[in-house]
Amino acid sequence: MNEGKSVIIVGVGGQGTLLASRILGNAMMNEGYDVKVSEVHGMSQRGGSVVTYVRWGKEVASPVIETGEADVVLAFEQLEAARFLPYLKLGGTMVTNTQCISPMPVVTGAAQYPRELLTEMEKLGVNLFAVDALSLAEQAGSVKAVNVVLLGAMAKQMDVEKEIWLRAVENSVPERFLELNRKAFELGYQSGY
Amino acid sequence: MKKLLLGNEAVARGLYEAGVRVVSSYPGTPSTEITEAAAKYDELFCEWAPNEKVAAEVASGAAIGGARAFCAMKHVGLNVAADPLFTMSYIGVNAGMVLAVADDPGMHSSQNEQDSRNYAKAAKLPMLEPSDSRECKEYTKLAYELSEKFDTPVMLRLCTRVAHSRSIVECEEREELPVKPYEKAPQKNVMLPAFAKEKHPMVERRLQELAAWAETSGINRVEDNGAAVSVITSGISYQYVKEAMGDQVNYLKLGMVYPLSESQIRAFAEKAETLYVVEELDDFLETYCRSLGLKVIGKERFPRCGEFSQKLVRKLLAGEELPSLSVEEKLPPRPPVMCCGCPHRGLFYALKREKVYVSGDIGCYTLGASAPLGAMDTCICMGASVSALHGYNKARGPEAEQKSVAVIGDSTFIHSGITSLIDIAYNRSNSVVIILDNSITGMTGHQQNPTTGYNIKGDPAAAVDLEALCRAVGIGRIRVVDPYDLKAVSAALKEELQAEEPSVIISRRPCALLKYVKHAAPLRVKEESCVGCKACLGVGCPAISMQNGKAAIDATQCVGCGVCTSLCAKKAIG
């Protein structure tokens, strides 16, 4: 058994971060790890910044991940990637969607959407993997499969067998969306590096 | 079988395995999923009650009737249920009764940060506090044993991070229990003063017996690591200390946080070189330790406000912080917003335009307080919009009555707005109450309620006729508007504000996220017509933004509600 890991999944309410965290949690439980997954429900889900924590290892105490602790930050949106960068362990890996979704203060003109976030993170020496998950999801057959594309992209960065991931995806989505999600995972997995 | 369950789902599994028969709750983050998960077991009768007081009373009645019973609520819901709680403490049970309460340190989805442990002490009831999903299930089952052994309702305290975290739970079989016989016993069950006087000393004795039980039962656990520093803690705080300090400290992990065992705490304290109490929110355990004359370090080091974490514990106990990176740019915040097509949007835009005082309430529509709508003046608690508006109008007189409204959702109105509306009708202020009827309890994630026509299982049920109800309590002026129709909303508002009697406006349209709601095609901006005036941004729709000086609509988000269309003077949106 490998050492445990801490993964933060961040995005915007409605992007499917919860499902991604459950797929990941179940995959690791089936691997024989102790697992904790912390979710956010309620008010903050309404288009706000949403974060879930997935931790696995021999024994996991806290269900949350704090600044400087995450092995991987999986971001569904650029601004959220930058917001949760402080949670990444030094030397950790950031996998992010290139999609930008303007928050309300940007929509109303009260703030600007920072344009150079990816470059800035690279300059800081972050192991950064950026994926255009929205396009790949469309290619797989539905923009709603962004979450599974991103899981695929992250899976490539972690030393867990691909079959285990695929099984976990299959166990977590309805039968009629199986093919779509398999394809989405594969496109994410193949998306470079 | 092993499952990765939410703390809430694990409580529900515990209910199933403990042979519970009756569950009654009102939804409230972070407690809602307990009852949703329980409703998936056919063996349990589950219901959404109109409010937490009703739910607690239903559970009380079921326990008296001989069936193991349960109710769940969030911390502020316990305020509503406090009345039955304090007297059920005297009456006790026949079959077991458990009340779960979920606190929200950090206020992820709440209006205050109260610490429910104080209720256990005030109502003189035992309270168990699990620290993960496994304990959620175990403690739930144990709570029923305790309830029947000591003839008392038992409280189960969760917090957001326990309720909404998944961890591994071993699922077992259900123990099918027959309904216990009911025997008439007025001295036990009728709390007349004469009988209650007999009961109170029994309750005090019961607390002593429970404390003695806690000492030997293993519910409170010492982990002696031979360290110089010792920590008394419970629930999620235990997990944070464990994560940060591992075996560098000794632990007294309390599974029962009320009543506390004096001898157990004294014995642990005697061996400690330095003794900390690590607890979120109030100094509940600390105060008890101090009352025993023990020297502890608690709230002078650890905050009373907000959530704890391993980061906080690491910093305050070990003086360590982990390094981290951050970008230099200032990142705009991403506050929650009303969804695309939300029926509340049009209504709040109209309220903003009329510049009225808005007495607000609890629900998705509390987001109407945020920019750019900014159309809310107060938000206190469930149902307060209606009664507080009446008070405001009584204080400020007829002029205020023509410039003020209350807004309250369908579920919140049923919860505790009805009595307030009766107050308006009975004690007459010319108040305007707007019921935002979106056919669902939205904020907590789409629960049915008595106005929707369906019960928790999705089966057809009696539906409250809101118009008839308002009429029956004495309101003469009642009208229904479609919040997508801004003109109609504004006209109704103007007319009712002018009226010389109380009135109710029902703003009716189902939540745009409901599966049966059909969405129109996404709207588009005709670039040649758009002059970039930004009027459409005023509704705060997440699908609309400015691109190169012109408005643009994100087709993946837009549901074609048309509220923005009616704001465009250039007819550029269609």
Side-chain angles (χ1 to χ4, degrees):
Chain A
M1 196 187 270
N2 292 311
E3 258 182 59
K5 292 262 191 276
S6 295
V7 175
I8 291 196
I9 303 182
V10 297
V12 178
Q15 275 193 307
T17 50
L18 269 188
L19 180 66
S21 67
R22 284 175 204 173
I23 292 176
L24 186 53
N26 275 310
M28 293 309 145
M29 181 178 74
N30 294 336
E31 279 301 280
Y33 287 105
D34 186 25
V35 178
K36 283 193 175 162
V37 179
S38 189
E39 306 180 350
V40 176
H41 301 218
M43 173 75 94
S44 53
Q45 266 181 304
R46 305 280 173 269
S49 171
V50 173
V51 55
T52 62
Y53 310 104
V54 186
R55 306 189 65 216
W56 64 91
K58 207 165 153 250
E59 206 175 318
V60 180
S62 172
V64 300
I65 298 169
E66 264 295 345
T67 51
E69 292 182 352
D71 296 283
V72 177
V73 173
L74 178 62
F76 282 44
E77 200 270 349
Q78 275 196 40
L79 180 57
E80 298 312 309
R83 197 188 311 284
F84 283 90
L85 175 63
Y87 286 77
L88 196 62
K89 188 184 275 184
L90 295 189
T93 303
M94 165 81 71
V95 178
T96 181
N97 190 359
T98 52
Q99 194 182 353
C100 299
I101 301 174
S102 293
M104 198 44 66
V106 171
V107 170
T108 59
Q112 290 275 317
Y113 193 107
R115 283 297 152 195
E116 302 296 328
L117 291 173
L118 295 184
T119 332
E120 210 183 320
M121 284 194 278
E122 264 178 346
K123 271 190 205 152
L124 287 167
V126 178
N127 303 325
L128 183 73
F129 297 94
V131 191
D132 182 356
L134 193 60
S135 301
L136 293 177
E138 265 176 347
Q139 206 178 313
S142 166
V143 290
K144 291 194 172 149
V146 161
N147 50 6
V148 178
V149 171
L150 285 167
L151 266 183
M154 184 185 73
K156 185 76 177 286
Q157 304 307 320
M158 303 186 79
D159 49 355
V160 180
E161 281 169 61
K162 190 172 158 191
E163 306 317 312
I164 292 160
W165 293 99
L166 271 173
R167 243 197 332 272
V169 170
E170 287 165 8
N171 289 338
S172 309
V173 301
E175 176 114 24
R176 63 184 191 283
F177 297 128
L178 255 183
E179 212 31 61
L180 167 80
N181 281 292
R182 265 198 215 119
K183 200 170 165 196
F185 183 87
E186 197 59 45
L187 283 170
Y189 196 84
Q190 303 299 342
S191 65
Y193 335 123
Chain B
M1 189 186 160
K2 279 202 303 187
K3 281 191 175 171
L4 193 56
L5 296 183
L6 283 179
N8 282 344
E9 292 168 345
V11 171
R13 182 71 201 185
L15 299 176
Y16 169 78
E17 292 176 9
V20 169
R21 286 171 180 266
V22 178
V23 175
S24 182
S25 302
Y26 184 82
T29 312
S31 72
T32 311
E33 298 81 6
I34 301 176
T35 306
E36 286 185 316
K40 291 186 179 143
Y41 298 107
D42 288 335
E43 292 86 344
L44 281 68
F45 169 81
C46 292
E47 66 174 27
W48 290 128
N51 64 36
E52 296 85 353
K53 177 179 186 292
V54 174
E57 290 159 353
V58 170
S60 306
I64 290 169
R68 283 190 169 183
F70 176 82
C71 58
M73 57 203 65
K74 68 184 294 174
H75 59 321
V76 285
L78 186 53
N79 302 334
V80 180
D83 197 359
L85 184 76
F86 279 65
T87 303
M88 275 308 287
S89 174
Y90 281 29
I91 289 177
V93 299
N94 177 13
M97 175 185 162
V98 174
L99 180 149
V101 55
D103 287 1
D104 191 15
M107 291 176 277
H108 296 272
S109 200
S110 303
Q111 69 270 38
N112 77 33
E113 209 172 21
Q114 70 191 49
D115 186 332
S116 294
R117 294 177 298 175
N118 297 303
Y119 269 105
K121 183 162 189 266
K124 301 176 191 291
L125 289 172
M127 178 180 260
L128 306 183
E129 188 180 23
S131 69
D132 62 13
S133 299
R134 185 178 59 77
E135 286 185 352
C136 279
K137 195 190 80 150
E138 268 178 26
Y139 286 13
T140 300
K141 292 168 81 172
L142 178 63
Y144 281 97
E145 285 174 33
L146 278 181
S147 175
E148 289 170 5
K149 184 175 164 75
F150 292 95
D151 192 9
T152 176
V154 176
M155 299 175 77
L156 187 72
R157 183 205 189 210
L158 311 181
C159 68
T160 300
R161 296 301 184 183
V162 169
H164 284 170
S165 291
R166 290 175 187 276
S167 56
I168 297 172
V169 177
E170 187 69 49
C171 295
E172 297 159 285
E173 292 303 308
R174 174 175 168 91
E175 185 189 358
E176 204 58 66
L177 298 171
V179 174
K180 287 189 172 182
Y182 168 74
E183 282 162 33
K184 191 166 178 170
Q187 280 176 318
K188 173 166 167 55
N189 295 328
V190 181
M191 282 304 100
L192 284 167
F195 296 154
K197 279 177 196 165
E198 298 288 319
K199 279 291 199 168
H200 188 182
M202 292 163 71
V203 169
E204 299 296 339
R205 264 200 308 280
R206 186 177 71 200
L207 281 178
Q208 287 173 10
E209 290 163 12
L210 280 158
W213 174 86
E215 200 177 324
T216 54
S217 67
I219 181 95
N220 302 328
R221 184 175 77 224
V222 173
E223 293 174 29
D224 188 351
N225 294 312
V229 173
S230 294
V231 176
I232 299 176
T233 185
S234 69
I236 195 65
S237 297
Y238 165 76
Q239 302 288 4
Y240 296 147
V241 181
K242 195 87 183 162
E243 186 70 39
M245 308 303 294
D247 54 12
Q248 296 168 53
V249 300
N250 310 314
Y251 298 85
L252 173 56
K253 187 219 177 253
L254 298 170
M256 185 188 258
V257 290
Y258 194 79
L260 293 160
S261 158
E262 179 180 342
S263 51
Q264 204 167 27
I265 289 176
R266 274 195 195 285
F268 183 71
E270 258 167 37
K271 286 192 186 168
E273 285 178 39
T274 315
L275 183 57
Y276 288 89
V277 178
V278 181
E279 54 185 332
E280 279 180 330
L281 303 180
D282 293 347
D283 49 355
F284 187 81
L285 305 176
E286 180 184 344
T287 301
Y288 180 77
C289 292
R290 288 192 192 283
S291 78
L292 301 181
L294 300 175
K295 202 170 155 241
V296 295
I297 305 167
K299 291 299 172 188
E300 72 260 49
R301 178 83 58 101
F302 285 86
R304 289 169 193 274
C305 309
E307 266 191 319
F308 285 8
S309 67
Q310 60 267 30
K311 177 185 175 181
L312 180 104
V313 174
R314 203 181 283 128
K315 189 174 161 196
L316 298 182
L317 278 188
E320 289 169 11
E321 271 184 275
L322 298 178
S324 65
L325 297 170
S326 52
V327 296
E328 273 176 30
E329 268 182 280
K330 194 165 175 282
L331 303 175
R334 191 185 299 277
V337 290
M338 287 179 190
C339 308
C340 292
C342 176
H344 302 322
R345 176 172 288 108
L347 193 271
F348 275 88
Y349 184 78
L351 292 176
K352 178 190 177 186
R353 212 159 48 179
E354 294 302 320
K355 296 191 175 67
V356 288
Y357 172 91
V358 180
S359 181
D361 222 302
I362 310 281
C364 287
Y365 48 93
T366 317
L367 293 171
S370 316
L373 295 166
M376 192 170 286
D377 288 81
T378 60
C379 170
I380 307 169
C381 67
M382 296 284 284
S385 60
V386 181
S387 17
L389 172 70
H390 177 62
Y392 177 86
N393 285 340
K394 283 294 174 201
R396 302 187 71 83
E399 215 171 291
E401 287 175 347
Q402 295 190 356
K403 279 303 231 181
S404 66
V405 300
V407 290
I408 184 166
D410 48 346
S411 187
T412 311
F413 180 68
I414 296 294
H415 178 282
S416 47
I418 300 170
T419 42
S420 305
L421 188 65
I422 292 173
D423 194 35
I424 285 181
Y426 177 52
N427 291 311
R428 190 115 183 165
S429 58
N430 291 340
S431 296
V432 178
V433 173
I434 305 173
I435 301 174
L436 309 165
D437 179 8
N438 65 347
S439 307
I440 203 74
T441 309
M443 176 56 85
T444 44
H446 283 183
Q447 289 74 34
Q448 302 296 342
N449 69 53
T451 70
T452 65
Y454 295 94
N455 66 20
I456 192 170
K457 302 251 186 194
D459 297 328
V464 172
D465 180 337
L466 287 175
E467 291 92 315
L469 175 68
C470 295
R471 208 169 294 122
V473 305
I475 302 293
R477 297 179 67 96
I478 299 153
R479 60 199 292 174
V480 179
V481 293
D482 175 358
Y484 278 3
D485 186 346
L486 283 187
K487 260 192 199 153
V489 172
S490 288
L493 258 179
K494 285 201 172 80
E495 240 175 76
E496 297 312 324
L497 286 167
Q498 293 296 321
E500 298 282 318
E501 60 176 301
S503 53
V504 168
I505 301 172
I506 300 172
S507 171
R508 181 168 287 151
R509 183 172 270 277
C511 170
L513 299 184
L514 282 167
K515 284 211 173 98
Y516 67 81
V517 172
K518 294 250 186 311
H519 293 157
L523 298 168
R524 298 180 51 164
V525 178
K526 293 179 207 106
E527 274 192 44
E528 63 282 10
S529 309
C530 176
V531 293
C533 72
K534 298 185 180 172
C536 53
L537 295 184
V539 291
C541 175
I544 312 176
S545 60
M546 295 300 285
Q547 314 263 333
N548 307 320
K550 308 248 178 189
I553 293 175
D554 177 357
T556 63
Q557 293 196 68
C558 177
V559 298
C561 76
V563 169
C564 58
T565 310
S566 58
L567 296 179
C568 184
K570 299 290 173 188
K571 297 197 167 40
I573 305 176

